[in-house]
Amino acid sequence: MKNTKFLKAVCKKTGRHFALELAQIGGTWKAVNFLEIDGKQAALMTSEVRQPRFVTNENLRPCVKCGNREVGGCKCAPGRYDCARDRSYHFQCVYCRQLSVDYSAPAASAGYRDGDVIRLEQGQEVRIRFNDRPITEIFVGVGWDPVRIGRDMDVDSSVIVAGNGGREIVYFSQLKHSSGCVVHHGDNLTGEDEGGNDDDENISVFLDKVPANRDRLIFVLNIFECKERRQTLGNVKNMYIRLYDPVSHRALIEYKVLDNLKNDTALIIGVAQRRGQEWHFKAIGRGSRAGNVHELADEAVALF
C-alpha cells in the first residue's frame, strides 16, 4: 500500500485553499491528487513533507500549454488560468505560479465556536486543546458496529506508544503502559453497546506522563483471529475515534472513517504526536492486512 502524506496550499491571488495528496514514488514525493478545500478545513491541516521541489505524476494532467509538472512552477503567464477570472476550479491551477505551499501550523480550532466538536476528515490535524488551552489528560473513545454475518466479530482497540526507535503496545493483554501514560479500560468482545451510540472501548491518556523518549501515540483497531475466522473490516461499519475532556466529559475531536475497508483486517485510525510543548492529533484512516496487533504495530511504527 502506498505511503501517502498531505500538503496544504493557498492561491496568493484568490485566497483559495487546496490540499495536495503526495505519494512517495522512486524516493521522491510527487503530487497525485489535488482538492479544493475551504478555510475551515485548511486551518486543521498541516503540510507533512518538506523538499525544495514537487512534481506531479500521471494522475494529474500537466499544464495544458507548456506540459510542465512542477507544483507552483509553471512558466506560463498566471493570467492564462481561469481561476484568476472566475474563481472556478481547474486542475491546471496546481501548476500556477500563484500557488504557494503553506507550512504554517494548524490552528487550535479555527472556524469553530467554543464548545464545538472538531470533526476531522482523513489527513487533517488539530492541536489537542480545551477552551483554547493545552490539556494534559484526554479520554479516548472508539466505536464500531458489526454487520451481522456469521459469528460475532471481536474488534480490539490498542495504542502503540512509540518513539526513538522503540515501542510498546497497550491492548487487551496489557492494559496499562509501564509509565502510566496510557490505560485501557477493557475489551468489548462483540461491538454491541446500549442504544448504539456509546463508545465500544475507552482509553485514558495522560500526556504529561508520556516518557521523554516516546513522542507518538498511535491508535489502531484490529480483528482478533481475523485469519482463523476469515473476517475483514468489510463486516464492520461506523468506525470512529473521539477525544474527550475528562473533566467536563465534552467531546473535543472526532474522526469518522468513511473509506471502504472490505479487504482489510486492521486500521490505523489516528495518531497523537508531541511537537515541542504541545500535542497534535491527526486523522489517519489507513487500512492494513496485518494478522494481529503485533504485526500492526510494526507496520504503524514504520509509517509514523
Side-chain angles (χ1 to χ4, degrees):
M1 186 176 294
K2 68 182 181 182
N3 189 10
T4 60
K5 293 183 182 293
F6 288 88
L7 290 179
K8 62 177 177 179
V10 62
C11 175
K12 294 180 288 186
K13 186 176 184 68
T14 66
R16 293 159 62 208
H17 299 278
F18 299 93
L20 286 77
E21 182 182 3
L22 306 179
Q24 198 166 33
I25 302 172
T28 301
W29 289 101
K30 294 185 178 182
V32 298
N33 201 9
F34 182 59
L35 305 171
E36 185 167 10
I37 58 177
D38 60 31
K40 182 186 294 186
Q41 292 172 314
L44 298 178
M45 292 187 66
T46 183
S47 293
E48 301 177 274
V49 177
R50 289 180 180 270
Q51 66 182 41
R53 179 174 177 268
F54 292 97
V55 296
T56 65
N57 76 340
E58 63 275 6
N59 287 26
L60 295 178
R61 293 175 298 182
C63 172
V64 295
K65 183 176 181 180
C66 69
N68 184 278
R69 285 192 174 277
E70 186 172 353
V71 174
C74 179
K75 302 297 190 296
C76 299
R80 174 174 177 77
Y81 296 100
D82 293 337
C83 65
R85 297 193 297 271
D86 62 10
R87 297 176 64 87
S88 59
Y89 168 63
H90 299 275
F91 271 110
Q92 59 261 37
C93 296
V94 73
Y95 307 108
C96 177
R97 282 181 290 171
Q98 298 296 318
L99 187 72
S100 175
V101 176
D102 182 359
Y103 285 108
S104 63
S109 56
Y112 292 85
R113 299 186 304 274
D114 182 30
D116 283 354
V117 179
I118 300 177
R119 293 183 171 88
L120 300 180
E121 297 180 13
Q122 185 180 33
Q124 292 184 328
E125 178 179 319
V126 66
R127 288 181 285 177
I128 300 175
R129 302 172 73 88
F130 178 58
N131 287 343
D132 204 30
R133 59 175 172 77
I135 56 177
T136 59
E137 181 183 349
I138 53 175
F139 190 68
V140 178
V142 290
W144 59 87
D145 292 316
V147 176
R148 291 298 181 189
I149 299 178
R151 63 191 299 180
D152 287 338
M153 177 174 292
D154 181 8
V155 179
D156 296 320
S157 66
S158 307
V159 183
I160 303 156
V161 183
N164 199 30
R167 53 90 161 164
E168 300 82 40
I169 310 172
V170 179
Y171 66 121
F172 64 86
S173 288
Q174 181 66 46
L175 293 175
K176 185 176 181 179
H177 190 266
S178 59
S179 68
C181 68
V182 177
V183 178
H184 198 301
H185 295 291
D187 187 16
N188 181 325
L189 298 177
T190 66
E192 293 182 348
D193 54 67
E194 297 180 6
N197 294 317
D198 299 329
D199 301 330
D200 288 299
E201 293 184 3
N202 293 105
I203 302 161
S204 290
V205 177
F206 303 90
L207 297 172
D208 56 345
K209 293 184 180 181
V210 178
N213 65 343
R214 299 289 184 264
D215 59 3
R216 282 156 287 158
L217 304 173
I218 308 171
F219 298 89
V220 299
L221 300 176
N222 73 288
I223 301 172
F224 180 67
E225 294 185 345
C226 60
K227 293 182 179 179
E228 295 83 348
R229 301 183 183 189
R230 296 183 179 180
Q231 294 175 332
T232 72
L233 292 177
N235 289 329
V236 181
K237 60 182 180 179
N238 302 330
M239 291 178 287
Y240 71 85
I241 184 169
R242 194 176 289 139
L243 278 61
Y244 302 87
D245 168 54
V247 178
S248 67
H249 306 290
R250 179 180 296 172
L252 307 176
I253 303 167
E254 181 182 81
Y255 168 51
K256 293 182 178 180
V257 181
L258 301 178
D259 287 353
N260 186 342
L261 302 171
K262 64 180 181 179
N263 295 320
D264 294 308
T265 57
L267 172 70
I268 303 170
I269 195 167
V271 58
Q273 297 175 288
R274 180 166 50 203
R275 293 182 175 166
Q277 300 301 311
E278 289 195 315
W279 284 84
H280 295 229
F281 179 80
K282 181 174 181 178
I284 303 299
R286 182 188 179 101
S288 166
R289 298 185 183 180
N292 55 58
V293 70
H294 300 285
E295 291 180 10
L296 181 58
D298 290 340
E299 180 180 326
V301 170
L303 292 172
F304 304 102

